[in-house]
Amino acid sequence: MAQVISRAGWGAKPPSRRLDRVTQTRGVKVHYTGGHVPPSIVDDHRRCIELVLSIQRMHMAGGREQPYSDIGYNMVACPHRRIFIGRGPGVIPAANGPGLNTSHYAVLALVGSSGFTQPTDELLHAVLDAVAYLRQHGGAGTEIKGHRDGYATDCPGGPLYAWVKAGAPRPAETKKPTPTETEALVKQLPTLEKGDHGWDVKTVHHLLIARDYGGLDGVDDTTFTAAHEAGVKGLQAAAGLTVDGIVGPRTWPVLLRIA
Ligand SMILES: [Zn+2]
Ligand SMILES: [Zn+2]
């Protein structure tokens, strides 16, 4: 779920008058800004906040013919998978066009008609998370439509509208690979080579013996000696690793038999 940005979180002005309420809608209509959105927005969330503030100012100043009492959208979705509370759930929007505001909530996606025009996966996730939020908190129904459905406008732009028409599918989650337990364990182990001392050398010493390496009779187990190096090289050769005698992230798992 996207991170939710409260009105205080983006510095919203209070509405100029009390807004009309709605308890449920048939669904949601998706919008774009209709203007230029600088492509650099993708790398800088502060630009999203500036843009939402400027849209609220424009709406309240009469930029859409008659002045709105507040930003016209219920929610705004940004390319950082965050969702802004606009008017919020339970409030009639102003953005869908005359007569079309009680049947659908309005969600703005921060893409434009020039500059940043192709919604990214993160932005589409945010749009769907905004829809989910309106379903959970505002009684939004299952419909997801575009502003241009039922009103003469280009909004929400070609790419976003094509996605809406395709059924607004959620993009595949791009999961960052989580390190395996082995990798996590090995990350905590130091890289050891000839000349090193200490407890971890002791571990290498006794693991080599446990792996049937016979070259360590009477050898000090706290210093990484040439004898240890020879044993490590033998293991590395058997495991198909680079034979360098150094116990690093590839060799530790072999020694520990967790590879
Ligand atoms: Zn629109
Ligand atoms: Zn953002």
Side-chain angles (χ1 to χ4, degrees):
M1 183 69 177
Q3 186 188 327
V4 179
I5 303 172
S6 68
R7 287 178 64 92
W10 58 274
K13 276 209 203 90
S16 61
R17 64 169 185 86
R18 204 173 160 279
L19 298 167
D20 295 323
R21 312 286 304 178
V22 66
T23 53
Q24 59 179 43
T25 67
R26 273 156 49 195
V28 169
K29 285 192 173 168
V30 176
H31 299 254
Y32 75 161
T33 68
H36 180 77
V37 175
S40 58
I41 195 169
V42 175
D43 300 314
D44 190 355
H45 177 65
R46 287 171 306 180
R47 286 182 181 272
C48 302
I49 297 172
E50 284 167 16
L51 187 52
V52 173
L53 280 168
S54 74
I55 290 167
Q56 187 194 30
R57 273 197 303 274
M58 182 268 284
H59 281 180
M60 293 180 78
R64 290 279 182 265
E65 298 183 11
Q66 58 185 10
Y68 294 169
S69 321
D70 195 352
I71 190 168
Y73 309 103
N74 297 93
M75 307 284 292
V76 180
C78 89
H80 308 99
R81 197 169 177 174
R82 296 182 192 174
I83 54 178
F84 294 69
I85 304 289
R87 296 183 169 214
V91 178
I92 296 179
N96 292 335
L100 298 167
N101 288 313
T102 52
S103 56
H104 294 85
Y105 286 117
V107 171
L108 170 67
L110 289 185
V111 280
S113 52
S114 67
F116 178 53
T117 58
Q118 291 283 341
T120 58
D121 283 359
E122 289 297 279
L123 178 60
L124 296 177
H125 277 298
V127 170
L128 290 172
D129 290 346
V131 170
Y133 189 91
L134 290 166
R135 285 176 182 164
Q136 191 182 346
H137 300 281
T142 53
E143 285 184 2
I144 300 178
K145 297 197 162 201
H147 186 184
R148 68 168 77 164
D149 291 316
Y151 189 78
T153 172
D154 286 337
C155 183
L160 196 54
Y161 190 63
W163 174 76
V164 167
K165 290 305 279 182
R170 191 175 277 279
E173 293 278 357
T174 46
K175 278 213 183 87
K176 293 183 191 102
T178 51
T180 64
E181 277 181 52
T182 303
E183 286 165 340
L185 170 68
V186 168
K187 263 205 185 109
Q188 296 168 13
L189 295 167
T191 295
L192 296 174
E193 59 188 317
K194 198 166 73 180
D196 287 336
H197 301 274
W199 279 100
D200 294 303
V201 173
K202 230 180 191 7
T203 305
V204 171
H205 181 100
H206 292 283
L207 282 170
L208 282 169
I209 292 170
R211 304 293 165 253
D212 299 322
Y213 175 59
L216 294 175
D217 279 351
V219 174
D220 173 16
D221 67 0
T222 60
T223 302
F224 201 117
T225 65
H228 296 97
E229 189 179 61
V232 170
K233 283 182 172 173
L235 269 183
Q236 288 174 328
L241 298 176
T242 306
V243 180
D244 58 8
I246 298 170
V247 181
R250 310 277 309 260
T251 302
W252 271 115
V254 173
L255 261 179
L256 293 163
R257 289 219 174 134
I258 53 178

